[in-house]
């Protein structure tokens, strides 16, 4: 029982604080909810990634991205396509549901004088080299050129050349390379077969040459490299091409890299290589963009036939503007908080801290009003009774009703005193309560003194 008054005082203080600070808390919560709604810091749990033909490099890498993002609770739906051109169309179509895609460098434009890169798309970096593999039948070269060696794209005039299925990125790139050599599409017999049908056609003698752009680990590429009678064009002018077309880089297929024991290839072969890019819609959630860039770093940073460890992902060969999240990653690596906190929490803090700082700046001036309001509320609980006390005291000054005596004013004063005794205020304001009660006693003494001087009307 002795602890009851202290507990009661605590409840009173808490109630006063809640009533005084309640509006402030509601304003703070409203600002936070508004900021959360405006920023939308939590990314969607499902995203669609456009890859490429089945059993191709893009499809294989898509599976790795899916596994990587699954660790962060993000489900990646893979959309099989014909290649880069189709991927670009899907990215530019909001109704397609595709937010990310693999795109070959140079796939965004057909000619040198075309308009700029597709709008509303950003690059998350280049991922790996995709060499241009121009395979041809050596018999066709001997028949048309008098030599089994194909040395220039300009020599393809009149050849039956497969430049990829509709929607593939190699088509646009080859048209640009043909254009650089003064070849128009009508100068060739252009075929548009898929990868596997094109190989069958080449072996059947219905195609003279075919072009792939693919990672060297592609089974079709390695098979053609080992097939007798099938040659691989050496781009002797690789450096010149790279100066004319910045989307391609000169790379070297080292002697013996395919099969060291059999010395395949028998000499170094110069190739052109665009880079595969990871492209996103500009309005894709920033947190997802950050996760995809991190996945690219984990998946593509190793060494390969054409790149050294750590060379990719990079800014090499991109025709698209770099996404802000990618620039942030290349400059400082993963966000600091993600190294120590779960992704959802680190992302929430990372996306909200600027707004939180702004909310705090707004709330600080408001918070300075709270102590005066709290004090005013507590003191008003005491001071409002002074008005009634003054009325009683003014009754003294105006003179007593001699017919009734001082008793009515005394009754009013006793009623006021009873109510004041029930007041509960924090200990820090107890002096004001006791001051009120002492003033009540002072008025009571005046009433008693004045009442003693007033004759009793009942006495004759």
């Amino acid at each position: 029982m002795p602890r009851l008054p202290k507990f009661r005082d605590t409840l009173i203080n808490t109630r006063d604080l809640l009533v005084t600070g309640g509006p402030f808390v509601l304003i703070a919560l409203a600002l936070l909810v508004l900021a959360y709604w405006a920023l939308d810091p939590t990314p969607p749990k499902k995203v669609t990634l456009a890859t490429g033909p089945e059993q191709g490099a893009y499809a294989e890498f898509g599976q790795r991205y899916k596994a990587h993002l699954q660790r962060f609770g993000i489900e990646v739906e893979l959309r099989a396509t014909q290649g880069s051109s189709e991927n670009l169309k899907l990215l530019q179509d909001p109704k397609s549901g595709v937010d990310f895609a693999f795109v070959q460098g140079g796939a965004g434009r057909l000619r040198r004088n075309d308009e700029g890169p597709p709008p509303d798309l950003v690059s998350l970096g280049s991922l790996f080299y995709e060499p241009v593999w121009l395979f041809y039948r050596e018999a066709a070269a001997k028949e048309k050129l008098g030599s089994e060696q194909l040395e220039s794209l300009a020599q393809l005039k009149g050849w039956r050349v497969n430049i990829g299925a509709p929607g593939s990125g190699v088509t646009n790139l080859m048209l640009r390379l043909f254009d650089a050599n003064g070849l128009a599409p009508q100068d060739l017999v252009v075929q548009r077969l898929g990868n596997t049908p094109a190989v069958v056609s080449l072996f059947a003698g219905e195609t003279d040459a075919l072009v792939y752009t693919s990672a060297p680990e592609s089974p079709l590429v390695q098979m053609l490299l080992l097939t007798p009678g099938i040659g691989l064009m050496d781009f002797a002018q690789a450096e010149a091409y790279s100066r004319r077309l910045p989307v391609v880089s000169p790379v070297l297929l080292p002697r013996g890299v395919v099969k060291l024991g059999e010395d395949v290839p028998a000499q170094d072969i110069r190739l052109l290589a665009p880079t595969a890019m990871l492209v996103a819609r500009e309005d894709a959630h920033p947190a997802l963009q950050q996760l995809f860039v991190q996945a690219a770093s984990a998946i593509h940073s190793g060494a390969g036939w054409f790149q050294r460890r750590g060379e990719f992902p990079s800014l090499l060969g991109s025709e698209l503007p770099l996404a802000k999240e990618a620039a942030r990653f290349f400059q400082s690596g993963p966000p600091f908080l993600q190294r120590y906190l779960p992704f959802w929490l680190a992302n929430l803090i990372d996306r909200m801290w600027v707004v939180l700082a702004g909310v705090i700046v707004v709330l600080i001036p408001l918070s300075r009003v709270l102590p005066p309001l709290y004090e005013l509320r507590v003191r008003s609980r005491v001071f409002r009774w002074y008005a009634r006390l003054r009325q009683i005291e003014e009754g003294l000054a105006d003179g007593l009703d001699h017919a009734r005596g001082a008793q009515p004013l005394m009754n009013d004063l006793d009623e006021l005193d009873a109510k004041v005794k029930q007041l509960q205020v924090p200990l820090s304001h107890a002096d004001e309560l006791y001051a009120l009660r002492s003033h009540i006693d002072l008025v009571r003494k005046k009433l008693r003194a004045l009442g003693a001087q007033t004759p009793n009307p009942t006495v004759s």
Side-chain angles (χ1 to χ4, degrees):
M1 294 302 295
R3 293 186 179 181
L4 185 59
K6 183 180 291 187
F7 178 70
R8 182 181 59 192
D9 290 340
T10 301
L11 289 179
I12 294 172
N13 290 339
T14 303
R15 183 189 63 186
D16 289 332
L17 288 173
L18 289 177
V19 172
T20 305
F24 178 83
V25 173
L26 290 177
I27 292 174
L29 289 176
L31 289 174
L32 289 176
V33 170
L34 180 63
Y36 187 92
W37 175 81
L39 289 180
D40 188 22
T42 304
K45 295 297 184 182
K46 186 174 181 180
V47 65
T48 301
L49 171 65
T51 55
E54 295 182 0
Q55 299 182 351
Y58 288 174
E60 170 62 28
F61 284 124
Q63 293 292 341
R64 300 185 190 182
Y65 277 80
K66 181 175 183 178
H68 184 92
L69 268 71
Q70 193 171 14
R71 293 184 293 173
F72 299 94
I74 306 298
E75 180 185 354
V76 178
E77 179 184 341
L78 302 179
R79 181 82 60 85
T81 67
Q82 288 298 325
S84 297
S85 294
E86 184 180 347
N87 289 356
L88 282 174
K89 292 179 181 178
L90 290 173
L91 283 171
Q92 294 176 84
D93 180 9
K95 297 180 180 179
S96 69
V98 173
D99 294 311
F100 297 86
F102 298 120
V103 175
Q104 182 188 98
R109 291 185 289 176
L110 293 176
R111 290 289 188 272
R112 294 170 302 187
N113 59 350
D114 274 353
E115 297 180 356
D120 303 325
L121 301 183
V122 291
S123 170
L124 301 182
S126 297
L127 307 179
F128 52 87
Y129 288 117
E130 283 193 291
V132 177
W133 308 93
L134 199 162
F135 293 103
Y136 61 94
R137 292 189 300 112
E138 293 176 348
K142 188 171 184 178
E143 176 185 346
K144 298 176 183 295
L145 306 175
S147 169
E148 293 184 352
Q149 298 293 325
L150 177 64
E151 298 177 352
S152 170
L153 290 179
Q155 295 177 322
L156 290 175
K157 188 173 184 178
W159 284 42
R160 297 169 296 178
V161 182
N162 187 79
I163 59 173
S168 66
V170 64
T171 301
N172 296 339
L173 178 59
M174 288 309 299
L175 289 176
R176 296 178 70 179
L177 293 177
F178 290 153
D179 183 63
N181 282 271
L183 286 175
Q186 57 268 25
D187 293 331
L188 309 124
V189 180
V190 175
Q191 299 175 340
R192 305 297 303 277
L193 302 175
N195 291 349
T196 302
V199 172
V200 174
S201 179
L202 183 70
F203 289 164
E206 299 171 356
T207 297
D208 298 321
L210 59 82
V211 184
Y212 287 145
T213 52
S214 177
E217 294 82 3
S218 167
L220 288 177
V221 169
Q222 296 201 18
M223 180 191 69
L224 290 171
L225 286 171
L226 297 172
T227 301
I230 301 298
L232 174 63
M233 178 178 162
D234 178 15
F235 283 83
Q237 299 170 308
E239 283 289 346
Y241 278 112
S242 67
R243 307 295 173 84
R244 297 283 298 274
L245 299 174
V247 296
V248 296
S249 302
V251 295
L252 185 70
L253 183 68
R255 175 179 177 175
V257 72
V258 179
K259 276 200 171 184
L260 283 172
E262 299 179 17
D263 196 24
V264 178
Q267 65 279 329
D268 292 343
I269 298 179
R270 292 158 290 189
L271 298 175
L272 295 176
T275 54
M277 297 183 295
L278 183 58
V279 178
R281 289 183 54 85
E282 192 174 23
D283 58 1
H285 198 284
L288 288 178
Q289 293 185 29
Q290 179 63 224
L291 283 181
F292 268 87
V293 177
Q294 293 178 29
S297 178
I299 294 169
H300 303 288
S301 60
W305 282 11
F306 299 104
Q307 73 267 6
R308 292 183 172 85
R309 179 177 296 276
E311 187 174 348
F312 288 101
S314 74
L315 309 180
L316 181 68
S318 175
E319 294 180 301
L320 297 171
L322 188 66
K324 293 181 180 179
E325 289 298 323
R328 177 185 179 188
F329 178 84
F330 289 129
Q331 182 177 4
S332 56
F336 176 78
L337 292 177
Q338 283 193 27
R339 304 171 192 174
Y340 306 100
L341 298 176
F343 166 71
W344 68 270
L345 179 58
N347 175 69
L348 180 64
I349 297 174
D350 189 48
R351 305 289 164 195
M352 292 287 290
W353 75 268
V354 175
V355 175
L356 289 175
V359 170
I360 292 173
V361 169
V362 172
L363 293 179
I364 284 177
L366 292 177
S367 66
R368 295 174 181 171
V369 182
L370 292 181
L373 286 177
Y374 174 76
E375 185 170 351
L376 178 62
R377 173 179 172 78
V378 175
R379 296 184 68 183
S380 66
R381 191 181 301 160
V382 176
F383 290 163
R384 67 190 180 94
W385 295 108
Y386 275 100
R388 179 61 181 149
L389 183 62
R390 178 177 293 179
Q391 291 177 356
I392 297 173
E393 194 171 17
E394 287 175 351
L396 285 172
D398 293 342
L400 296 175
D401 184 350
H402 292 280
R404 298 172 58 195
Q407 192 60 41
L409 291 178
M410 185 66 73
N411 293 339
D412 290 344
L413 189 64
D414 290 341
E415 182 181 354
L416 172 62
D417 190 26
K419 292 181 178 180
V420 168
K421 287 180 180 179
Q422 295 178 359
L423 286 181
Q424 301 293 337
V425 296
L427 294 177
S428 58
H429 292 77
D431 56 336
E432 295 166 353
L433 177 61
Y434 285 116
L436 173 59
R437 295 182 65 181
S438 66
H439 292 155
I440 292 173
D441 288 339
L442 180 62
V443 174
R444 180 179 284 110
K445 290 178 182 178
K446 289 183 179 181
L447 276 173
R448 287 173 178 171
L450 190 58
Q453 299 175 6
T454 303
N456 191 339
T458 59
V459 178
S460 55

